[in-house]
């Protein structure tokens, strides 16, 4: 389902969001939409069911009192810039994993790109087959489906490029200073605020279906984090010191991800990739330990190579590259 058509709900909200303090006359809405005032009222009931609250004054009309404090398709659509209005996305109440659902929809032939957001995941997955805590509606769980038709060996740089774009968007959107921990962790002072899981189906030496999954801790859960992750999880809202608006953030993120995807496809990402990576890389120059399969290597991070592999200088002064692994900074 795409949300690009102008439903009465969308037109009503657009009028009320223009200036949220302003009253919007019911008579005017009725005229504009060529609907009766009762019909307008019924459309507003639908919006109420989605979590909107309105004030009404007989002589003035309506205005918004509260907006839904969770992802809402109409709001997200309204916040998307005009050139992204056709972007196809859905918001699911609950799913096993948005990565799995996007993979299923790609396999079933859904036109890419598209995104699936979920309020909860029952089997959220992280890297290395780990579980990704996904019960909290204060986080964003989203996966994008792409059909990039590029060689599989570009996958690593793709996820690094997307990671720094997300980092850059969050830095400017929340006025905070996130960093990227290779390959894809979004961190603040060693605490994780987001993670990326990219999965691909490869056909005849080309990536056919690409699933780009992002888990982002947006606001701190009311009940706090589960004890297992309390010491290493943080939410954007905690760092920014203000509650983050899910719908504005989700639209801004979607726009940035789609733009970054196209830049990667036409090669223009090369103009800014190195700069962005250097700006947000938390590991450069740090002494780290890298765990890959059953090996543990310590060394100093020298940056990344053209394929996105991590460059590690060991104590003997020899530099080695690593395509995968988990890094911890040594104190
Ligand atoms: C990691 O840091 O290990 C990656 C975490 C990726 C989590 C996201 S949440 C949305 C998407 N669906 C999943 O099952 N995983 C990713």
């Amino acid at each position: 389902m795409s949300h690009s058509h102008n439903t009465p709900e969308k037109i009503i909200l657009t009028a009320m969001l223009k200036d949220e303090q302003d009253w919007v006359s019911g008579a005017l809405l009725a005229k504009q939409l060529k609907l009766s005032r009762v019909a307008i009222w019924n459309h507003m009931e639908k919006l109420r069911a989605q979590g909107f609250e309105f004030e009404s004054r007989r002589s003035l009309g309506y205005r918004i009192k509260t907006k839904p404090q969770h992802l809402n398709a109409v709001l997200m659509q309204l916040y998307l810039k005009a050139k992204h209005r056709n972007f196809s996305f859905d918001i699911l109440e609950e799913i096993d994993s948005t990565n799995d659902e996007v993979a299923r929809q790609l396999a079933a032939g859904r036109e890419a790109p598209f995104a699936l957001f979920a309020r909860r995941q029952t089997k959220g997955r992280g890297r290395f087959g780990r579980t990704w805590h996904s019960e909290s509606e204060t986080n964003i769980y989203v996966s994008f489906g792409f059909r990039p038709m590029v060689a599989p060996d570009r996958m690593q740089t793709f996820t690094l490029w997307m990671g720094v774009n997300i980092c850059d968007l969050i830095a400017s959107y929340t006025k905070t200073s996130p960093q990227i921990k290779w390959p894809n962790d979004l961190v603040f002072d060693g605490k994780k605020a987001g993670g990326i899981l990219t999965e691909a189906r490869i056909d005849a030496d080309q990536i056919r279906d690409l699933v780009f999954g992002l888990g982002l801790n947006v606001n701190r859960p009311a009940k706090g984090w589960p004890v297992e992750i309390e010491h290493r999880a943080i939410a954007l809202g905690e760092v920014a010191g203000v509650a983050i608006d899910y719908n504005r953030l989700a639209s801004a993120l979607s726009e940035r991800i789609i733009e970054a995807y196209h830049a990667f496809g036409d090669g223009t990402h090369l103009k800014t990739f190195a700069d962005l990576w250097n700006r947000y890389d938390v590991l450069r120059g740090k002494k780290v330990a890298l765990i890959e399969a059953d090996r543990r290597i310590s060394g100093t991070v020298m940056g990344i190579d053209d394929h996105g592999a991590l460059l590690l200088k060991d104590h003997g002064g020899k530099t080695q590259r690593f395509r995968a692994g988990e890094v911890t900074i040594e104190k």
Side-chain angles (χ1 to χ4, degrees):
M1 180 179 44
S2 145
H3 302 279
S4 54
H5 49 288
N6 265 337
T7 59
E9 281 83 34
K10 225 183 269 173
I11 294 169
I12 293 170
L13 279 184
T14 309
M16 292 202 208
L17 287 168
K18 221 178 265 160
D19 178 346
E20 291 185 28
Q21 303 311 310
D22 241 11
W23 295 92
V24 173
S25 134
L28 219 73
L29 280 176
K31 206 171 140 199
Q32 195 188 340
L33 285 159
K34 298 193 179 64
L35 293 171
S36 70
R37 297 196 57 172
V38 175
I40 297 289
W41 174 263
N42 286 337
H43 285 296
M44 289 177 66
E45 278 300 297
K46 282 194 205 159
L47 289 166
R48 285 193 186 92
Q50 293 176 27
F52 288 92
E53 286 176 41
F54 304 101
E55 280 178 273
S56 68
R57 290 274 170 79
R58 188 176 307 190
S59 53
L60 297 167
Y62 303 105
R63 70 178 181 188
I64 292 188
K65 197 165 143 209
T66 340
K67 284 179 273 182
Q69 298 305 306
H70 52 244
L71 287 180
N72 177 277
V74 185
L75 273 182
M76 259 189 76
Q77 182 72 49
L78 287 178
Y79 293 150
L80 285 172
K81 293 197 190 90
K83 68 169 176 168
H84 291 289
R85 287 278 155 81
N86 291 328
F87 174 57
S88 151
F89 70 90
D90 295 307
I91 299 168
L92 312 170
E93 200 57 44
E94 183 179 285
I95 195 77
D96 49 357
S97 149
T98 53
N99 265 38
D100 293 343
E101 181 59 20
V102 164
R104 290 189 287 263
Q105 295 195 10
L106 281 169
R110 177 164 177 176
E111 194 184 328
F114 66 90
L116 298 181
F117 291 82
R119 301 225 173 93
R120 281 182 308 278
Q121 299 183 112
T122 52
K123 284 187 189 141
R125 293 183 290 112
R127 291 171 71 227
F128 309 113
R130 291 183 187 139
T131 308
W132 184 258
H133 166 73
S134 307
E135 286 124 60
S136 172
E137 292 190 25
T138 59
N139 301 334
I140 283 182
Y141 315 106
V142 61
S143 300
F144 288 75
F146 297 116
R147 288 201 185 83
M149 298 300 193
V150 300
D153 65 2
R154 293 191 68 202
M155 177 130 150
Q156 177 85 322
T157 37
F158 174 76
T159 76
L160 299 185
W161 162 249
M162 297 302 268
V164 283
N165 271 276
I166 291 167
C167 200
D168 193 49
L169 183 271
I170 285 168
S172 60
Y173 186 85
T174 63
K175 312 265 184 308
T176 58
S177 309
Q179 290 185 296
I180 283 280
K181 179 170 156 277
W182 182 92
N184 278 132
D185 290 358
L186 190 83
V187 296
F188 289 94
D189 284 335
K191 288 193 170 186
K192 188 156 161 171
I196 286 169
L197 183 66
T198 315
E199 296 174 304
R201 194 163 87 189
I202 293 158
D203 252 15
D205 290 336
Q206 281 208 316
I207 295 180
R208 201 186 43 201
D209 293 351
L210 185 67
V211 181
F212 177 78
L214 169 69
L216 198 57
N217 304 337
V218 182
N219 291 308
R220 191 182 155 82
K223 291 182 293 187
W225 301 107
V227 278
E228 324 84 79
I229 58 173
E230 171 70 47
H231 61 291
R232 55 191 163 90
I234 193 149
L236 304 181
E238 291 179 79
V239 187
V242 289
I244 310 272
D245 183 317
Y246 296 98
N247 293 295
R248 286 189 195 277
L249 176 64
S251 325
L253 261 177
S254 302
E255 288 171 347
R256 184 65 180 255
I257 287 171
I258 295 297
E259 279 164 16
Y261 171 73
H262 290 307
F264 186 81
D266 65 25
T268 48
H269 72 297
L270 290 172
K271 287 192 274 186
T272 51
F273 183 33
D275 278 351
L276 281 174
W277 185 264
N278 292 333
R279 187 176 322 155
Y280 294 113
D281 175 17
V282 69
L283 293 181
R284 181 180 284 260
K286 298 259 165 60
K287 285 209 169 64
V288 303
L290 180 138
I291 304 200
E292 189 207 24
D294 46 13
R295 281 205 298 170
R296 184 179 191 280
I297 305 103
S298 331
T300 305
V301 175
M302 308 306 289
I304 54 172
D305 73 6
D306 287 348
H307 302 286
L310 189 74
L311 299 172
L312 211 58
K313 186 153 113 190
D314 65 22
H315 301 311
K318 204 175 116 219
T319 300
Q320 298 187 59
R321 33 191 104 228
F322 295 90
R323 309 227 45 178
E326 180 159 50
V327 178
T328 42
I329 299 177
E330 294 192 323
K331 294 274 148 60

